Amino acid sequence: MFESCGCKTMGSTNSTLLKIPNAEELMQETGFSASHIVRLYDRFTSLDKEGRGYLCPQDFGAIKELAINPIRDRIIGAFFSPGKETADFQTFVRILAHFRPVDKDRTKEPEPINSRSNKLRYKDGNISREELLKVLRDMLGMQVTEEQLESIADRTIQEADLDRDGAISFEEFRKVSLEKVNIDHKMSIRFLR
Amino acid sequence: MLGGWDIAFLLLQLWVSIVAGLILLPAMFGVSLGFTDIYIKGLLKTLEWATLRIQRGQKEKPNVPQQLANGIIEKEDSPTSMEEEIGELRRSHPKNLAEGNFTLCDAFYFCKKGIENIVEDQVTQRFSSEELASWNLLTRTNNNFRYISVRLTIIWGLGVFIRYCVLLPLRITLAVIGLSWLVTGTTLVGLLPGCRMKNWLSDLVHITCYRICARGLSATIHYHNKENRPKKGGICVANHTSPIDIVILANDGCYAMVGQIHGGLMGVIQRSMVRSCPHVWFERSEMKDRHAVAKRLQDHIADKTKLPILIFPEGTCINNTSVMMFKKGSFEIGGTIYPVAIKYDPRFGDAFWNSAKYNMVSYILRMMTSWAIVCNVWYLPPMTLQDGEDAVHFANRVKSAIANQGGLVDLSWDGGLKREKVKESFKEEQQKMYSSMIVGLDCHETSVGPA
């Protein structure tokens, strides 16, 4: 009972990596190293307590430190495409890959900004006043009055909305957040090499 | 002509006399014959060799994914607060920082924190066994270590044989002897009328029993700062990793235990223990009434002839890498607190009891098939409640002292989160902190309090 798996684990190499579906593809696509993928897989399986092979929003909710985050529901929501209630390992890794620091040789858009604005986006790709109000309410809770909330939202839109259409488009958002210093560094998670 | 049964009987006699002569008697007198020391030294050398061999093997095979023992995210050297981090984010924004206005990139802070917590968080890992930087030749800790060499496999196989066929029977024998001695000894002492002789005998019975049990786990314990040992009428407070903590501490002193009365074997032991000296056992129903509990403990420590109480304020087993929130109940009773830090060496065996995964019996069997239990115990100077300090603050002070001494991470999370959900009030605290940055500092808006 205690040593029964001894022979199996001491056998061939890469047995954990083999367990992970499409590991090679994932590594190519996301740029995570093999150790990272193995590590993330361990994390995924430990979050998936019932061993179903996918995660649902409650599994994320069980992470204690995430539970106290004011915008936790939005962050969790990023892992589930609209209409879907489950997230498999590929989705898990792909979303997290958005937060990797951008490699010098990659020419893609700074991914963290993309996903960040995804969280705020309204259906047509702009951040409307209502959306902004909702996010502000999440972050500030019951500590501020409705009027204060609205004045903050109005002021923010005033600063960022350059074409005066009443909403913040992705371009305007980028301009506002990316002005001087490379925010990619601030936003991305420093994964160990 | 000796028949089969006679030979078996002779062997049994031999076995018993070896156990008694070489282990039991020295244990009872607190004398060490040095076998355990030699064993531990030999073990250390073997493990060091194994580590080097594994590292060499990993260098030769660069394609194999390496173990990321310290987690996947770089840790900051000093923890930063919400204000500092948001301040840094805003520095990259052209707007003047003097006003505490909301800026869009503030949300980045929450976003990044959230994602980091999804990848790795400080709390969940405390409820499962600590990860080792290098394999210690126990299969149960073999996570991703690959086949390296024939020699390593042979040593591992030898280890399995020694642990299961030699050490395990020996340890079980010792444990059985130790516990039966406890039950019979305390019952006998309980028959005596109350007097100084009775207390002395009771202490003797308890200590010898715990020493036998410690040998039954091949425990090597290093006690530091013995001058701070808990005295009568005080409360001894320690971090909790497993039920074995009691054996570890009681090897060097006598304590009055506190706890719930159980049924079965545990209940038998508890009931006989209390015959020889006063322990504080509660019925399940009594535990709910906090005042009654506090009163009983207060009465106990008021009587200076009674032994110091042993309490584990975390309330649950944590995996010995951190200390979690201390429940304030024990710190409201009054009396002197004697903090004790216990740190196990994970190379020899994982002492943490993951009660969700293993029941008591499997846990004890795992303990008895580990290499050994090696730990350090530090007695810290006594602490008392200071003027104007409340119980929660006092509890945190004691907790920091213990964490500091034991080299453990000091967390303010509640160990009860193992089974419960986080309260909404914690999320509100985060919201409060953030709001005070936005609204509190803002001089343009009239400071209207929350409606």
Side-chain angles (χ1 to χ4, degrees):
Chain A
M1 187 187 10
F2 305 104
E3 310 282 338
S4 57
C5 45
C7 299
K8 214 165 41 143
T9 44
M10 290 214 75
S12 56
T13 55
N14 294 331
S15 57
T16 313
L17 208 55
L18 288 176
K19 265 192 265 173
I20 303 171
N22 306 327
E24 282 295 328
E25 268 176 53
L26 272 178
M27 279 164 59
Q28 282 281 4
E29 199 187 311
T30 59
F32 277 126
S33 69
S35 337
H36 286 146
I37 297 278
V38 168
R39 191 79 190 189
L40 288 173
Y41 188 70
D42 283 339
R43 179 67 169 171
F44 181 83
T45 41
S46 73
L47 290 175
D48 177 16
K49 292 196 176 69
E50 293 165 39
R52 293 166 304 194
Y54 56 82
L55 294 176
C56 56
Q58 290 90 300
D59 294 322
F60 284 99
I63 303 172
K64 318 296 177 190
E65 289 184 55
L66 185 63
I68 66 168
N69 195 317
I71 57 169
R72 65 158 183 250
D73 294 322
R74 284 175 185 274
I75 297 176
I76 296 176
F79 286 85
F80 300 93
S81 18
K84 277 196 88 178
E85 281 288 309
T86 60
D88 61 4
F89 183 59
Q90 320 326 69
T91 321
F92 184 67
V93 176
R94 284 195 191 110
I95 305 282
L96 288 177
H98 283 167
F99 293 88
R100 289 190 66 242
V102 175
D103 291 333
K104 301 290 183 291
D105 34 336
R106 282 169 161 232
T107 49
K108 290 165 49 166
E109 270 280 305
E111 286 293 344
I113 309 296
N114 250 333
S115 45
R116 168 67 190 86
S117 62
N118 273 340
K119 290 182 186 20
L120 289 184
R121 255 183 217 178
Y122 209 42
K123 291 198 187 79
D124 59 358
N126 290 337
I127 304 171
S128 73
R129 191 170 175 274
E130 285 91 56
E131 274 292 301
L132 192 57
L133 274 175
K134 270 197 234 156
V135 175
L136 279 172
R137 178 55 78 193
D138 281 340
M139 292 204 284
L140 295 167
M142 290 295 130
Q143 310 302 322
V144 297
T145 62
E146 195 64 39
E147 292 91 46
Q148 281 172 314
L149 213 63
E150 291 189 3
S151 75
I152 295 175
D154 287 331
R155 195 165 359 108
T156 313
I157 294 190
Q158 211 176 23
E159 283 164 14
D161 188 13
L162 302 166
D163 61 4
R164 300 287 153 221
D165 62 352
I168 304 176
S169 72
F170 182 59
E171 267 310 307
E172 288 162 349
F173 179 76
R174 269 197 65 209
K175 220 158 178 285
V176 153
S177 341
L178 269 183
E179 277 287 337
K180 283 210 172 132
V181 176
N182 180 15
I183 208 152
D184 166 64
H185 168 63
K186 292 295 173 206
M187 181 60 174
S188 51
I189 300 178
R190 302 152 302 246
F191 286 104
L192 279 176
R193 296 264 148 259
Chain B
M1 192 74 90
L2 288 174
W5 283 116
D6 297 319
I7 299 184
F9 188 59
L10 263 175
L11 281 175
L12 187 64
Q13 269 186 323
L14 191 62
W15 171 252
V16 171
S17 30
I18 290 179
V19 168
L22 290 180
I23 302 180
L24 273 182
L25 286 174
M28 289 170 74
F29 291 107
V31 166
S32 169
L33 289 177
F35 291 130
T36 319
D37 284 337
I38 299 175
Y39 172 62
I40 298 280
K41 285 201 178 83
L43 204 53
L44 266 175
K45 285 220 162 44
T46 317
L47 290 179
E48 275 163 16
W49 172 83
T51 311
L52 288 172
R53 193 67 192 78
I54 292 175
Q55 281 171 354
R56 217 175 62 201
Q58 277 175 342
K59 281 201 193 85
E60 286 161 14
K61 293 187 184 158
N63 298 330
V64 177
Q66 309 224 353
Q67 185 75 337
L68 283 176
N70 291 325
I72 200 172
I73 299 183
E74 258 172 46
K75 299 275 182 287
E76 301 274 328
D77 283 328
S78 52
T80 40
S81 70
M82 185 196 275
E83 283 177 18
E84 285 166 9
E85 290 214 30
I86 294 192
E88 268 209 53
L89 270 179
R90 287 182 178 177
R91 231 160 272 144
S92 53
H93 190 269
K95 197 153 170 264
N96 192 351
L97 278 184
E99 308 150 8
N101 294 332
F102 168 76
T103 42
L104 278 175
C105 52
D106 284 353
F108 283 174
Y109 165 76
F110 289 111
C111 206
K112 177 167 137 173
K113 261 242 140 21
I115 298 288
E116 275 184 355
N117 288 333
I118 290 180
V119 175
E120 205 172 66
D121 78 309
Q122 284 288 5
V123 181
T124 322
Q125 55 171 281
R126 310 293 169 191
F127 300 132
S128 58
S129 302
E130 184 182 355
E131 274 192 54
L132 292 172
S134 180
W135 190 36
N136 65 349
L137 296 176
L138 293 174
T139 317
R140 62 194 72 146
T141 49
N142 186 353
N143 281 326
N144 283 314
F145 296 109
R146 306 291 141 218
Y147 171 82
I148 301 285
S149 78
V150 185
R151 237 186 291 178
L152 206 59
T153 319
I154 292 180
I155 300 246
W156 167 79
L158 203 61
V160 172
F161 174 72
I162 293 179
R163 283 183 292 123
Y164 278 83
C165 304
V166 176
L167 291 177
L168 182 62
L170 183 63
R171 287 172 179 171
I172 293 184
T173 319
L174 285 171
V176 168
I177 294 178
L179 288 175
S180 352
W181 169 235
L182 180 66
V183 173
T184 45
T186 48
T187 315
L188 286 173
V189 172
L191 296 171
L192 293 174
C195 59
R196 256 203 1 216
M197 183 64 146
K198 179 179 183 184
N199 291 338
W200 182 78
L201 275 176
S202 158
D203 286 354
L204 186 69
V205 168
H206 277 102
I207 267 205
T208 46
C209 156
Y210 286 121
R211 282 191 182 144
I212 298 173
C213 287
R215 289 298 163 90
L217 291 165
S218 297
T220 305
I221 312 168
H222 303 288
Y223 296 100
H224 305 269
N225 309 331
K226 284 198 188 186
E227 67 273 9
N228 293 327
R229 226 188 298 185
K231 301 190 178 39
K232 292 194 179 173
I235 303 177
C236 175
V237 151
N239 58 316
H240 199 29
T241 307
S242 98
I244 291 180
D245 291 341
I246 300 175
V247 173
I248 303 282
L249 287 177
N251 255 272
D252 192 44
C254 292
Y255 299 93
M257 310 287 166
V258 177
Q260 207 184 307
I261 280 245
H262 290 99
L265 182 63
M266 198 65 199
V268 171
I269 298 176
Q270 284 177 319
R271 271 179 272 270
S272 62
M273 275 169 81
V274 85
R275 280 192 206 118
S276 63
C277 75
H279 295 279
V280 187
W281 302 126
F282 292 104
E283 299 289 335
R284 205 189 177 88
S285 46
E286 283 177 287
M287 297 283 287
K288 307 265 168 66
D289 185 353
R290 287 182 50 187
H291 289 293
V293 171
K295 180 91 180 39
R296 265 186 80 176
L297 292 173
Q298 266 165 347
D299 291 341
H300 186 108
I301 57 174
D303 185 349
K304 298 295 175 199
T305 61
K306 294 194 178 158
L307 299 167
I309 303 180
L310 178 58
I311 290 188
F312 297 104
E314 281 165 310
T316 187
C317 294
I318 310 292
N319 77 348
N320 209 231
T321 56
S322 68
V323 183
M324 289 199 160
M325 188 181 92
F326 275 6
K327 302 212 185 329
K328 65 178 167 86
S330 342
F331 299 89
E332 288 173 325
I333 301 171
T336 324
I337 302 278
Y338 295 89
V340 177
I342 308 175
K343 180 84 178 101
Y344 292 89
D345 189 337
R347 289 176 299 178
F348 296 98
D350 172 34
F352 169 57
W353 181 27
N354 191 343
S355 47
K357 244 175 137 182
Y358 306 106
N359 62 15
M360 184 62 119
V361 178
S362 339
Y363 170 69
I364 297 286
L365 279 177
R366 278 170 67 92
M367 283 298 98
M368 293 193 173
T369 53
S370 307
W371 291 119
I373 305 280
V374 176
C375 63
N376 283 297
V377 175
W378 289 273
Y379 293 110
L380 295 163
M383 292 179 162
T384 41
L385 191 69
Q386 285 172 349
D387 289 328
E389 196 180 29
D390 69 342
V392 175
H393 195 254
F394 183 35
N396 285 334
R397 201 160 52 92
V398 174
K399 175 162 67 85
S400 303
I402 292 182
N404 219 10
Q405 179 65 277
L408 305 163
V409 175
D410 185 0
L411 293 176
S412 39
W413 290 91
D414 183 356
L417 287 175
K418 208 196 242 178
R419 297 179 193 92
E420 294 157 12
K421 299 182 90 168
V422 182
K423 289 192 241 178
E424 279 299 299
S425 53
F426 289 106
K427 179 171 121 172
E428 283 163 19
E429 260 181 56
Q430 292 275 304
Q431 287 170 331
K432 256 192 229 168
M433 267 170 71
Y434 182 59
S435 325
S436 67
M437 284 178 68
I438 303 295
V439 177
L441 300 172
D442 201 336
C443 44
H444 285 292
E445 300 185 282
T446 50
S447 42
V448 177

